[in-house]
Amino acid sequence: MVPDLDEATSFFARAFARESKILGEYFGAGEREIVAGFPRDYATFTPIAEVQVECVDPARLLVDGVSPHEIVTEPRLDALAWFVDGIEDLWTELRRRGIRGTDMSNRIHEGEGPPLDVSARPIIFTVPEDAGMSYEFCLYVAHRDPRGYPPVPALSPSDPLGIECCSHHTVLTGDPARARGLLADVLGGRVVHEGRNEVLAAQSTYIALADGVIELAQPLDEGSWAMEDWRRNAPQDTYSSLTWKVADLDRVADRLRSAGVGLRARTQTCIVTDPADSLGVPWGFTTELCPGDPRASARRAAPEEVDR
């Protein structure tokens, strides 16, 4: 969620060297309305590795003339989203477990079938009281995603940050069992590691799900920035940050410095940006995937490429 889409676009160009596209352009709608009467300029899309970052200005997102979200004055991460197959079955399982969902108008849906978006396609936003925060589930629509099917990771050998993939997403929580109930029990994610995160001063559980990893971090130390960040939404969870796997931290530090982005923390294996300089997000960069990450073992098992 951002108060200024131009500011977000400028940040991703300056810090990540990534191009952002406005909703209408991204969907290839040209001057056509995507859905009659529905705005086509409320969001931008910025592909980074296998993640699609969607920035939304809630003041521009109007459903039936009303914004379903609070207007923001400072940018912040809001929700994680996945494309899913079998969304009707997912809705049935969520209902069975007492996890409620809303539609795009932020109205709790009570029907047997899943909520629908403005295009009458199934879409589910979990209720934070039940799942910890808002998680979005929607259908993949080929003509609305220029990355192709399956979506191709946006990687480049000339990337000034040297990003290889998204290492993990961090969710700050005071009730890890609640989020784990959705991510592991419903969605089939697998706990791959548990331990203390010294940078966050938190006890963390890492769950491998789909092609990524979610860190559920429970802040432990009073006065830590992770504790302060979590308390913004307490007792609900806070989607705090994304951490990128990179090849070289010095290269990252140089790029961030040239982009005017300060650092909140740096260790031998990771860098964390100052949210004040980086769109309200403490972006992380690490040279190591988390212990147990199945992608790390897959890389070790892959045969070495040989130039012929």
Side-chain angles (χ1 to χ4, degrees):
M1 295 293 177
V2 299
D4 188 334
L5 291 175
D6 290 337
E7 177 190 1
T9 294
S10 175
F11 167 75
F12 284 116
R14 185 177 72 254
F16 284 81
R18 300 285 175 157
E19 180 185 6
S20 304
K21 292 186 177 182
I22 199 75
L23 176 71
E25 181 185 1
Y26 179 80
F27 280 175
E31 296 301 318
R32 294 181 294 107
E33 289 185 304
I34 297 167
V35 174
F38 192 67
R40 52 191 298 280
D41 64 349
Y42 70 84
T44 59
F45 294 84
T46 311
I48 305 175
E50 70 276 33
V51 177
Q52 185 74 281
V53 182
E54 180 185 11
C55 291
V56 173
D57 179 352
R60 298 188 188 189
L61 173 55
L62 303 178
V63 181
D64 296 328
V66 178
S67 176
H69 303 284
E70 292 183 1
I71 307 305
V72 298
T73 57
E74 299 290 338
R76 60 174 173 81
L77 288 177
D78 183 68
L80 270 162
W82 288 275
F83 294 128
V84 296
D85 293 324
I87 194 168
E88 291 82 5
D89 293 336
L90 172 59
W91 177 246
T92 298
E93 181 64 10
L94 290 173
R95 283 169 55 87
R96 188 180 74 82
R97 292 177 178 268
I99 300 175
R100 294 169 295 171
T102 70
D103 58 17
M104 289 186 68
S105 299
N106 205 26
R107 294 180 298 231
I108 292 178
H109 186 69
E110 302 290 351
E112 291 295 325
L116 303 177
D117 66 14
V118 294
S119 302
R121 292 183 175 89
I123 193 168
I124 303 169
F125 298 89
T126 59
V127 173
E129 287 80 2
D130 299 340
M133 58 176 248
S134 177
Y135 295 92
E136 177 185 349
F137 306 97
C138 57
L139 295 180
Y140 177 84
V141 182
H143 70 275
R144 287 191 173 182
D145 195 327
R147 295 174 298 168
Y149 182 77
V152 177
L155 298 173
S156 169
S158 61
D159 181 355
L161 292 169
I163 291 174
E164 299 175 353
C165 68
C166 179
S167 169
H168 58 279
H169 305 257
T170 296
V171 174
L172 302 175
T173 180
D175 185 3
R178 177 176 55 189
R180 187 168 169 169
L182 172 68
L183 300 175
D185 298 344
V186 175
L187 302 179
R190 180 168 59 90
V191 175
V192 294
H193 179 66
E194 295 181 274
R196 182 178 170 91
N197 183 324
E198 295 295 345
V199 174
L200 293 179
Q203 181 66 21
S204 292
T205 299
Y206 296 84
I207 298 177
L209 175 61
D211 61 353
V213 172
I214 314 297
E215 176 190 20
L216 301 177
Q218 185 171 13
L220 301 174
D221 292 3
E222 292 293 334
S224 69
W225 51 267
M227 182 71 80
E228 293 177 1
D229 198 14
W230 169 67
R231 281 184 171 153
R232 288 191 297 110
N233 295 319
Q236 312 313 333
D237 299 345
T238 295
Y239 182 19
S240 176
S241 66
L242 292 82
T243 296
W244 308 97
K245 169 69 172 64
V246 298
D248 186 333
L249 285 184
D250 289 335
R251 177 178 172 183
V252 171
D254 289 345
R255 173 67 182 189
L256 295 175
R257 188 181 306 111
S258 69
V261 177
L263 304 184
R264 170 179 271 181
R266 178 166 184 176
T267 71
Q268 289 186 334
T269 59
C270 82
I271 281 174
V272 180
T273 68
D274 184 343
D277 303 328
S278 50
L279 210 64
V281 179
W283 304 94
F285 301 88
T286 180
T287 52
E288 298 179 352
L289 294 174
C290 74
D293 188 322
R295 295 171 298 178
S297 58
R299 289 183 181 188
R300 288 194 298 269
E304 293 186 0
E305 293 185 2
V306 179
D307 292 332
R308 299 186 185 276

